[in-house]
Amino acid sequence: MFSKISSSVLEAIGHTPLIELSRIAGEVPGKLYAKAEFMNPTGSMKDRIALKMIEDAEKEGKLRPGSVVIEETSGNTGIGLAMVCAIKGYKFIAVMSEGNSPERRQILQAMGARVELVPQVEGGKPGRVTGEDLALVEKRAEALTEEMGALWVNQFHNPSNCVAHYETTAQEIWQQMDGKIDYFLDVVGTSGTFTGIASALKDKDSKIQCWAVEPATAPVLAGKPVTNPQHVLQGSSYAKVPDLWNSQVCDGYLSVTDGEAVRAARRLATEEGLFCGYTAGGNVAAALRLAGWCDPGARIVTILCDSGMKYLSTDLFKV
């Protein structure tokens, strides 16, 4: 049965399916479930925080008709903000590294955003944005904000980032799983998704184990050395502890290599029909490892962060 007509695309944010990955996890003891966040309107979980951060800024009186909104982004949050700003009538400027996939900047421009590209540091590799690259992006976003008198959303420090996932994503997962969850795991970028969901799930059941996923070459949250900050998990692990990180809701750490993330993303597409990006692949690779040594029947939930459509220019699906 169809629902009522929506007044805008913003009403389509959230309420994404939770899918059992029974084909790729058919031979391991644990049961693996994935929240299909790539089915949000602009193709990523970041739609949720984009709406929440803008609406909270409106409630706080920080925005007025015609205001300019600025954000430093790897692409997905910017695309979500471009959608929200288009509906609400704000001008939006996305500040991003040249190292992020070109599809993201093309989508942003198509949605009416101005894209401010910041060159990578010397020796930077396309598709592998580091903490040093991000520092340059942040510096440019800060300068533009002062120059234009704009609102800098600042997802890396904005508590609404966590609240969005606490109030929506986590509640949906809990309801969809009927409260029967043993493990939750997710790659950490800003930490809004992990901290928000883990906090909510532990408030409901303190026995739920929440594990952070990191690139094998940059496991900074686990307290291990960073051997190479240039990894394929775009939008995650910039080799520094994010401001929104809350170690008290983290029970353990898993790391994945670039190769493991790529192979898992390809398996998601060919075996489960789920066309997702690198970070979703990283989550599933880590979840499969956990499902291999956990108790039989343990229920593991992870996130399919964004659509594979944003990576067609990369090597992710090239054979």
Side-chain angles (χ1 to χ4, degrees):
M1 183 176 179
F2 294 106
S3 60
K4 67 179 181 67
I5 296 171
S6 299
S7 62
S8 79
V9 69
L10 302 184
E11 294 181 20
I13 296 173
H15 305 290
T16 55
L18 189 70
I19 300 168
E20 182 175 0
L21 304 182
S22 57
R23 293 158 188 82
I24 65 175
E27 297 181 0
V28 292
K31 291 187 175 182
L32 183 53
Y33 303 84
K35 183 72 165 156
E37 286 296 280
F38 71 96
M39 295 181 72
N40 277 297
T42 74
S44 90
M45 63 187 182
K46 298 293 189 177
D47 288 358
R48 295 179 187 264
I49 71 168
L51 180 60
K52 179 65 174 173
M53 293 189 297
I54 292 297
E55 288 188 337
D56 283 355
E58 290 175 330
K59 292 174 184 175
E60 295 165 8
K62 296 178 180 177
L63 287 170
R64 61 185 184 278
S67 288
V68 177
V69 176
I70 289 175
E71 180 60 336
E72 60 172 302
T73 176
S74 64
N76 283 329
T77 301
I79 293 168
L81 284 166
M83 172 184 63
V84 175
C85 289
I87 295 297
K88 291 179 173 285
Y90 304 123
K91 298 175 183 177
F92 178 60
I93 302 173
V95 186
M96 63 190 300
S97 171
E98 286 184 344
N100 292 120
S101 62
E103 289 89 346
R104 300 185 184 202
R105 74 187 71 148
Q106 291 167 343
I107 295 169
L108 281 161
Q109 290 167 335
M111 297 184 73
R114 169 181 156 189
V115 178
E116 187 87 5
L117 287 179
V118 179
Q120 290 184 271
V121 297
E122 186 177 352
K125 296 181 180 180
R128 298 171 185 247
V129 177
T130 68
E132 290 180 300
D133 295 324
L134 190 66
L136 295 178
V137 174
E138 183 171 337
K139 184 177 180 180
R140 181 57 181 151
E142 189 173 12
L144 271 175
T145 299
E146 185 174 344
E147 175 187 323
M148 305 185 72
L151 172 70
W152 181 11
V153 176
N154 204 353
Q155 61 176 313
F156 285 88
H157 303 276
N158 193 325
S160 296
N161 184 345
C162 298
V163 175
H165 291 293
Y166 186 102
E167 293 180 345
T168 68
T169 324
Q171 308 307 320
E172 292 171 25
I173 290 171
W174 180 261
Q175 292 171 9
Q176 289 166 318
M177 294 293 295
D178 293 325
K180 299 173 182 176
I181 305 165
D182 296 296
Y183 296 91
F184 167 72
L185 58 84
D186 187 33
V187 167
V188 176
T190 65
S191 191
T193 310
F194 181 89
T195 296
I197 294 176
S199 298
L201 293 180
K202 284 185 171 292
D203 281 349
K204 292 180 177 296
D205 182 354
S206 61
K207 296 190 297 295
I208 296 174
Q209 294 273 305
C210 297
W211 289 55
V213 181
E214 300 185 272
T217 61
V220 64
L221 298 178
K224 297 179 180 179
V226 176
T227 57
N228 184 1
Q230 296 178 330
H231 54 81
V232 300
L233 302 182
Q234 293 188 30
S236 73
S237 189
Y238 294 106
K240 64 178 182 179
V241 178
D243 185 68
L244 299 175
W245 172 247
N246 180 2
S247 61
Q248 294 184 346
V249 295
C250 180
D251 298 291
Y253 305 88
L254 291 165
S255 64
V256 294
T257 66
D258 286 355
E260 288 173 326
V262 169
R263 288 190 292 274
R266 291 175 178 176
R267 289 192 67 190
L268 276 170
T270 58
E271 297 177 41
E272 298 284 357
L274 298 168
F275 190 48
C276 303
Y278 285 107
T279 308
N283 274 340
V284 171
L288 281 170
R289 189 183 312 150
L290 178 59
W293 51 255
C294 67
D295 292 337
R299 298 160 74 91
I300 304 164
V301 177
T302 193
I303 305 292
L304 302 181
C305 315
D306 69 355
S307 167
M309 294 295 290
K310 298 173 181 177
Y311 302 91
L312 292 177
S313 66
T314 73
D315 293 333
L316 180 54
F317 295 107
K318 292 180 180 178
V319 294

